[in-house]
Amino acid sequence: MEEPNGFAEVATINDMELEGQHNNEEERESTESNYLRNRTLSSTSVAIVGAKVSHIESLDYEINENDLFKHDRRKRSRVQTLQFVFIKWTLAFLVGLFTGGVATLISLSIENISGYKLRATVNYIDDKRYFMGFAFFAGANFLLTLVAAFITVYFAPTAAGPGVPEIKAYLNGVDTPNMFGATTLFVKIIGSIGAVSAGLDLGKEEPLIHIGSCIASLLGQGGSDSYKLSWHWLRYFNNDRDKRDLITYGSSSGVCAAFRAPVAGVLFALEEVATWWRSALIWRTFFSTAVVVVILRIFMDYCKSGSCGLFGRGGIIMFDVSDVIVRYHFVDIIPVVIIGVIGGLLGSLYNHVLHKVLRLYNLVNEKGKLHKLLLALSVSLFTSICIYGPPFLAKCKPCDSTLSDSCPGTGETGNFKQFNCPNGYYNDLATLLLATKEDAIRNIFSLNTGTEFQVISLLIFFLLYCILGVITFGIAVPSGLYIPIILMGSGYGRLLGIAMRPYTKIDQELFAVLGAASLMAGSMRMTVTVCVIFLELTNNLLLLPITMLVLLIAKSVADCFNPSIYEIILELKGLPFLEASPEAWMRNITVGELADVKPPVVTLEGIEKVRRIVEVLKYTTHNGFPVVDGVIPELHGLVLRTHLLLVLKKKWFLNERRRTEDWEVEEKFTWIDLAERWGKIEDIAVTKDEMEMYVDLHPLINTTPHTVVESLSVAKAMVAFRQVGLRHMIIVPKYQAAGVFPVVGILTRQDLRACNILNVFPHLAKSKSIKKGN
């Protein structure tokens, strides 16, 4: 657990003072109070993750270049290096394999459960037993929601929601407890099946991204320690740096599994979630998504024979307009611009309203687990009413004899549903509402259906999904935003297409596609990823120019009002995410000025007494401690908290103050040990005699920590901190001279957050330089 080291809570301890005071209880309490001084820079490090309150901890992405690491690198043979690379590619393959298999399982389950539920409901309607049809429809949705919400609330609260903001924070360097565990994975799978099958206005796409990341994380750490299911040969990758790469593979594979779009999966990781990127990561990420596509294709071909029930008729790829000749001219730029502007305005409005609703839901969720469950069930009942009731208000339309599709249709899928209409007529609103979300999208995107839907039906469809999209997201079930946003966007796109019919030759169906794309860009602020997703789904390159234009306009308009929906969720959860661009006013503050308002930093010596280490670990929550040694103090490097715990756990103590030999270190530790996390100081017992022994910290010291001079601006420090993936940044004096202490302080991500800095320097918020961005 971590607080800003050197900037909160701690004053330097005098060794001689400590040694003489441990038998005095009152003096001991005084020493403890000195460690626990008031915070002055950091806001609280407690964030709400799902429904659990957890202390935020940063991740160690930096390579710890200590003696043990250097020795291992020197003796590693070429064969061992090739084995390491081969295992990385193997893990990338396994991530794609398991993600594709789980995605198929989820889609198969949802298609069958939803399909048979709708088939039974339609049978009641055909028999004119409308009340029984509603009772069955609402009852089935209620039970499915109950299952999804119950396991989420009581077994894995971190499985609630999309999971993408937490993945984004993790890849930025923020650890969220229990986010990628085996229980979370299981609940995410079952909860997604239940919630989507219940007809709630949410999708399985973002949960698939989270599921892919969970699979990657579990593979990287060799399985689950909680359930004693682990493979020790995979623990070579149980470190934050390699785990970051694996979770990047998993998130990309999840997008690919959701849309069967491998290139979009890679771009999603690059554009939206990854903070740190390199060329080798692209190759392995693309390999993972390619494996996912192959797995999906194998299962879809197998299921076409009817061996998978109702699965195989859709649910993964939503529409295909490859056989359509898209015609547009220069004058058609005007409606394209209009739909982009409207998409940006609606997207920002949706984010604003959803922000307010999520804050309200937080108040409800704080009352306890039962309230979370009741909220989810209430939304389920309201959704059932909104889906089942409005089609009875729609006017029946006569079937067009020139259409090749069967009209009216009586199945659970397809256009022209008869619902309560007489023979030869169909209910267009039932076609959109009383269907799975994938079928609804497929119906509204269907070609040659310019006159199929009435304006009033499209308006009801759009307004209903706007309301349901706002109230559904935030309940205690796994949920995704892609499908609700596509449904809303396609609705207003169709409406705009009807309004623009006299002025453009663009088909109404393509207006639905552009409307969905614009609303996604307006809410999520993704452009390249969304463009490629729609390109891979529509399989039509002619749509590319106008889709690009719509996305750019929608994002530009929405950025004028508020941040993306993922950034809003990050703020609500209190995760200390570091943005790519620092605030302009951060150039006016130096890191030395931050250090001046903080208590002194806690340091250790190269050969330290066990008592001193125990005291520091017990009364601070810092993760790293500078090692300062010598008659004239010099900075030797940084030692991590987890390595100090490892030393105490293995009882690597010396009877005298001396340096250890290389063979002594190699006999006791391996580089794999240094990558593990070693619990808490409270779990380690140290005897009174051991307290008087010594520890040689030199073999464990990171001798190349990132240091900056105290005159560096906070803006530059933040950019370097984020791009390199640091957890600590040591501040050193600008001028090194005799008698000057070599460490001014340490920066952590909490210290670099704008809100925390403004708490210390409130006058900056009112300065003209900030307002003008000077």
Side-chain angles (χ1 to χ4, degrees):
M1 300 183 188
E2 178 179 322
E3 293 289 343
N5 189 346
F7 290 162
E9 299 182 355
V10 180
T12 305
I13 310 169
N14 185 290
D15 286 337
M16 295 178 62
E17 197 174 51
L18 281 176
E19 290 180 15
Q21 290 179 348
H22 280 277
N23 293 328
N24 189 314
E25 184 65 23
E26 293 181 0
E27 293 295 336
R28 190 199 66 81
E29 293 177 358
S30 176
T31 301
E32 179 177 347
S33 66
N34 286 333
Y35 277 97
L36 303 176
R37 297 175 70 173
N38 292 330
R39 300 180 179 93
T40 54
L41 175 64
S42 175
S43 61
T44 176
S45 63
V46 176
I48 298 176
V49 183
K52 287 187 176 180
V53 177
S54 305
H55 286 275
I56 294 175
E57 187 169 340
S58 295
L59 299 168
D60 289 309
Y61 288 155
E62 181 185 5
I63 294 178
N64 199 315
E65 294 185 343
N66 51 40
D67 291 347
L68 198 61
F69 172 83
K70 294 175 182 177
H71 178 75
D72 176 75
R73 286 283 177 167
R74 285 193 298 267
K75 74 175 186 179
R76 187 177 295 181
S77 65
R78 180 173 178 80
V79 174
Q80 289 176 315
T81 302
L82 292 175
Q83 287 176 343
F84 186 77
V85 174
F86 174 77
I87 294 176
K88 275 193 171 184
W89 283 95
T90 302
L91 287 175
F93 171 79
L94 293 175
V95 169
L97 178 67
F98 291 134
T99 302
V102 172
T104 304
L105 171 66
I106 292 174
S107 298
L108 188 149
S109 302
I110 291 173
E111 287 289 306
N112 279 284
I113 295 173
S114 301
Y116 287 117
K117 178 191 69 177
L118 291 172
R119 177 178 291 181
T121 302
V122 169
N123 289 337
Y124 281 115
I125 294 172
D126 291 341
D127 295 338
K128 310 298 182 183
R129 302 171 63 187
Y130 301 125
F131 180 78
M132 284 298 299
F134 172 74
F136 175 82
F137 182 72
N141 290 343
F142 185 89
L143 290 176
L144 290 169
T145 305
L146 177 62
V147 172
F150 182 84
I151 62 174
T152 302
V153 170
Y154 287 95
F155 293 99
T158 51
V164 173
E166 290 83 355
I167 296 172
K168 187 174 180 178
Y170 186 93
L171 297 180
N172 188 257
V174 181
D175 189 14
T176 49
N178 306 316
M179 201 64 210
F180 304 107
T183 304
T184 302
L185 173 62
F186 174 79
V187 171
K188 200 80 175 186
I189 294 172
I190 303 300
S192 297
I193 294 173
V196 178
S197 300
L200 296 173
D201 188 21
L202 44 82
K204 63 179 184 294
E205 288 70 29
E206 275 113 320
L208 277 175
I209 298 172
H210 189 188
I211 288 169
S213 299
C214 289
I215 291 172
S217 176
L218 290 172
L219 285 173
Q221 68 188 36
S224 173
D225 288 329
S226 302
Y227 299 98
K228 307 301 181 184
L229 299 172
S230 59
W231 300 272
H232 290 281
W233 65 276
L234 279 176
R235 290 190 173 275
Y236 294 107
F237 297 90
N238 191 17
N239 60 82
D240 293 338
R241 189 178 180 85
D242 288 321
K243 198 172 177 181
R244 172 183 61 183
D245 291 351
L246 289 170
I247 288 180
T248 303
Y249 309 156
S251 61
S252 299
S253 300
V255 173
C256 178
F259 297 103
R260 211 177 72 181
V263 178
V266 178
L267 291 174
F268 172 82
L270 176 60
E271 180 183 13
E272 184 60 27
V273 296
T275 299
W276 192 79
W277 199 261
R278 67 184 191 278
S279 58
L281 200 58
I282 295 179
W283 284 104
R284 284 192 283 269
T285 301
F286 187 67
F287 177 62
S288 290
T289 58
V291 173
V292 173
V293 170
V294 172
I295 297 300
L296 293 179
R297 172 53 62 188
I298 291 173
F299 276 102
M300 290 182 70
D301 289 343
Y302 172 75
C303 291
K304 283 182 180 179
S305 62
S307 304
C308 305
L310 301 179
F311 180 71
R313 306 183 184 185
I316 294 180
I317 189 166
M318 295 181 292
F319 51 94
D320 187 347
V321 293
S322 56
D323 57 341
V324 177
I325 300 177
V326 181
R327 297 185 180 90
Y328 48 85
H329 306 282
F330 181 77
V331 69
D332 295 325
I333 295 297
I334 297 176
V336 169
V337 171
I338 292 175
I339 200 170
V341 171
I342 294 176
L345 293 174
L346 288 178
S348 60
L349 177 62
Y350 176 75
N351 289 359
H352 176 75
V353 176
L354 190 59
H355 186 192
K356 301 298 182 183
V357 172
L358 290 177
R359 293 179 69 90
L360 176 62
Y361 281 3
N362 279 342
L363 297 177
V364 176
N365 293 335
E366 287 174 358
K367 295 183 178 180
K369 296 180 179 180
L370 182 60
H371 287 80
K372 295 180 187 179
L373 202 59
L374 292 176
L375 177 62
L377 296 176
S378 300
V379 171
S380 175
L381 288 175
F382 181 75
T383 301
S384 298
I385 295 172
C386 291
I387 297 299
Y388 189 87
F392 288 98
L393 305 177
K395 182 180 179 181
C396 294
K397 292 192 64 177
C399 293
D400 188 346
S401 58
T402 62
L403 295 176
S404 58
D405 293 344
S406 60
C407 182
T410 57
E412 68 282 348
T413 61
N415 287 6
F416 311 111
K417 287 190 176 180
Q418 185 173 359
F419 196 63
N420 62 334
C421 297
N423 293 331
Y425 290 80
Y426 71 93
N427 190 312
D428 60 339
L429 191 54
T431 300
L432 295 175
L433 294 180
L434 210 64
T436 64
K437 300 299 182 292
E438 287 78 8
D439 279 331
I441 293 172
R442 193 178 296 107
N443 293 339
I444 203 168
F445 285 156
S446 294
L447 302 175
N448 303 318
T449 58
T451 60
E452 178 182 346
F453 302 106
Q454 305 173 78
V455 173
I456 186 64
S457 297
L458 290 172
L459 185 61
I460 293 174
F461 171 81
F462 171 66
L463 293 176
L464 278 179
Y465 274 110
C466 283
I467 296 171
L468 294 177
V470 167
I471 67 171
T472 304
F473 188 79
I475 62 175
V477 295
S479 57
L481 281 170
Y482 279 106
I483 292 299
I485 289 176
I486 290 176
L487 288 169
M488 288 185 288
S490 60
Y492 92 79
R494 272 273 194 164
L495 289 170
L496 189 61
I498 293 175
M500 290 288 182
R501 185 185 301 166
Y503 311 104
T504 181
K505 294 184 179 181
I506 299 178
D507 294 335
Q508 292 182 36
E509 302 83 5
L510 300 184
F511 265 103
V513 175
L514 296 178
S518 68
L519 193 59
M520 288 185 72
S523 177
M524 299 180 176
R525 311 297 156 82
M526 291 185 292
T527 53
V528 180
T529 303
V530 173
C531 184
V532 175
I533 285 176
F534 278 88
L535 179 63
E536 292 186 276
L537 288 180
T538 59
N539 197 23
N540 195 321
L541 278 173
L542 294 176
L543 279 174
L544 184 60
I546 55 176
T547 304
M548 292 172 63
L549 182 60
V550 163
L551 292 171
L552 290 172
I553 293 173
K555 183 185 185 303
S556 300
V557 171
D559 281 339
C560 297
F561 298 98
N562 51 31
S564 71
I565 186 61
Y566 293 145
E567 293 176 7
I568 290 174
I569 296 173
L570 283 170
E571 178 189 352
L572 288 174
K573 288 180 174 288
L575 298 175
F577 184 85
L578 293 182
E579 299 292 343
S581 301
E583 299 287 346
W585 53 265
M586 288 184 176
R587 293 197 295 267
N588 302 327
I589 313 173
T590 66
V591 293
E593 289 176 320
L594 291 183
D596 288 341
V597 297
K598 304 302 151 196
V601 65
V602 173
T603 63
L604 296 173
E605 294 184 1
I607 301 176
E608 192 59 84
K609 208 165 190 179
V610 174
R611 181 186 301 280
R612 159 83 164 164
I613 295 175
V614 172
E615 290 284 355
V616 169
L617 293 178
K618 184 176 181 181
Y619 298 125
T620 73
T621 55
H622 308 329
N623 178 72
F625 304 91
V627 178
V628 177
D629 216 346
V631 178
I632 300 177
E634 293 181 354
L635 176 64
H636 285 242
L638 187 81
V639 62
L640 297 180
R641 182 186 191 88
T642 183
H643 294 168
L644 296 176
L645 291 170
L646 175 62
V647 167
L648 298 179
K649 189 177 184 67
K650 287 182 174 284
K651 306 290 185 180
W652 194 56
F653 304 145
L654 304 172
N655 292 318
E656 56 184 352
R657 183 186 289 268
R658 67 173 178 87
R659 292 289 298 269
T660 53
E661 301 293 337
D662 290 343
W663 65 268
E664 293 180 274
V665 182
E666 296 166 16
E667 186 180 66
K668 200 71 174 179
F669 303 106
T670 66
W671 63 274
I672 299 178
D673 293 333
L674 300 185
E676 296 280 355
R677 293 185 180 180
W678 294 95
K680 302 177 181 179
I681 183 62
E682 291 79 11
D683 301 329
I684 300 175
V686 181
T687 65
K688 186 177 179 180
D689 292 337
E690 291 171 340
M691 285 284 195
E692 304 304 322
M693 301 176 77
Y694 296 90
V695 174
D696 180 17
L697 298 179
H698 289 95
L700 305 177
I701 296 174
N702 179 7
T703 56
T704 58
H706 285 267
T707 60
V708 294
V709 295
E710 57 186 338
S711 58
L712 185 77
S713 70
V714 172
K716 278 191 173 182
M718 179 178 172
V719 171
F721 200 97
R722 185 182 191 273
Q723 289 182 348
V724 182
L726 300 180
R727 186 170 186 173
H728 312 95
M729 181 180 283
I730 300 177
I731 306 172
V732 298
K734 185 175 182 180
Y735 302 104
Q736 298 287 346
V740 177
F741 197 70
V743 179
V744 176
I746 292 185
L747 282 177
T748 65
R749 67 174 47 247
Q750 289 281 6
D751 305 324
L752 293 172
R753 297 187 70 198
C755 59
N756 293 342
I757 297 174
L758 290 176
N759 288 336
V760 181
F761 302 99
H763 65 280
L764 292 174
K766 302 177 182 179
S767 66
K768 294 182 180 179
S769 62
I770 296 177
K771 295 178 182 177
K772 294 180 180 178
N774 294 332

